[in-house]
């Protein structure tokens, strides 16, 4: 999710039993004050499935940190206000230095999540929906090639090739060329 979408989350937007988050609003800083707006684009209004492994963490966060009631805000600042980027940035920088990742930006978490989603084999359309992108160009940024994924692709291609091969004439030791392949003559 985007920073503003996170700030716009209310308890009622999260259904842990059905494992989804409904994103329907965003919070922007306008003249230093938080203003509730629509998501960045028409595609920003979306329902995103939650991995089951994250449900206990989200449940804990809601119990400990979120405002009470279905309209309660999910993310609050230390004094109960809507967090500002400036104040959060100071806390974030200190935390990233303490864990040895001083170059990690908050938006890198969205980028990592999107890259992981892409590595599952999600289609471009599925990534666009999950990320709230209205253009393929934006979603393609997150489809990085990784060496591990490249090996998985090669293994899948091996399976396809093995399925296309048939027993050749004669004693069965010869494999005919693959459909569409040049025979070398």
């Amino acid at each position: 999710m985007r920073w503003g979408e996170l700030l716009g989350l209310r308890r009622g937007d999260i259904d842990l039993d059905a494992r989804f988050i409904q994103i329907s609003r965003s919070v922007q800083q306008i003249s230093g004050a938080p203003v509730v707006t629509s998501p960045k684009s028409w595609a920003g209004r979306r329902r995103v499935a939650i991995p089951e492994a994250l449900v206990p963490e989200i449940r804990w966060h809601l119990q400990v940190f979120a405002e009470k009631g279905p309209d309660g805000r999910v993310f609050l600042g230390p004094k109960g206000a809507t967090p500002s980027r400036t104040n959060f940035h100071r806390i974030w920088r200190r935390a990233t230095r303490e864990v040895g990742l001083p170059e990690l930006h908050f938006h890198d978490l969205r980028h990592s999540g999107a890259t992981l989603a892409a590595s599952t084999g999600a289609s471009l359309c599925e990534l666009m929906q999950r990320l709230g992108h209205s253009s393929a160009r934006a979603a393609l940024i997150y489809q990085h090639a990784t060496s591990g994924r490249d090996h998985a692709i090669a293994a899948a291609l091996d399976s396809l090739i093995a399925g296309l091969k048939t027993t050749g004439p004669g004693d069965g030791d010869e494999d005919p060329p693959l459909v569409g392949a040049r025979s070398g003559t």
Side-chain angles (χ1 to χ4, degrees):
M1 295 176 64
R2 297 174 178 96
W3 167 260
E5 294 169 347
L6 288 167
L7 295 185
L9 276 182
R10 303 292 180 165
R11 281 178 169 269
D13 297 328
I14 301 173
D15 185 335
L16 294 178
D17 295 328
R19 294 191 1 245
F20 74 81
I21 296 175
Q22 181 67 44
I23 301 163
S24 58
R25 72 186 71 76
S26 183
V27 173
Q28 306 302 320
Q29 294 285 338
I30 299 176
S31 300
V35 176
V36 177
T37 63
S38 295
K40 187 174 179 179
S41 70
W42 61 266
R45 289 182 171 272
R46 63 200 186 278
R47 180 182 277 197
V48 178
I50 303 168
E52 192 169 343
L54 296 182
V55 169
E57 301 298 328
I58 296 170
R59 191 176 311 281
W60 175 79
H61 176 89
L62 292 173
Q63 289 171 352
V64 175
F65 297 107
E67 283 182 324
K68 303 300 178 210
D71 200 41
R73 292 173 295 161
V74 174
F75 295 101
L76 304 169
K79 296 180 182 176
T82 299
S84 72
R85 264 189 208 268
T86 304
N87 289 337
F88 180 78
H89 184 72
R90 280 190 226 118
I91 295 166
W92 178 259
R93 299 309 312 152
R94 183 173 55 240
T96 58
R97 280 193 305 274
E98 287 176 10
V99 298
L101 298 168
E103 300 303 315
L104 183 68
H105 298 95
F106 186 76
H107 190 75
D108 293 340
L109 299 178
R110 175 173 162 81
H111 197 88
S112 296
T115 301
L116 289 170
S119 75
T120 68
S123 71
L124 181 58
C125 287
E126 290 165 334
L127 285 176
M128 288 174 63
Q129 190 282 323
R130 186 168 184 84
L131 299 171
H133 288 150
S134 54
S135 77
R137 183 181 173 277
L140 284 170
I141 291 169
Y142 300 104
Q143 289 194 320
H144 302 293
T146 63
S147 61
R149 183 72 183 136
D150 195 35
H151 284 290
I153 292 167
L157 289 171
D158 280 337
S159 295
L160 289 174
I161 291 167
L164 291 174
K165 288 185 175 184
T166 60
T167 304
D171 62 7
D173 289 335
E174 301 173 42
D175 288 330
L178 297 174
V179 175
R182 291 186 150 177
S183 64
T185 55

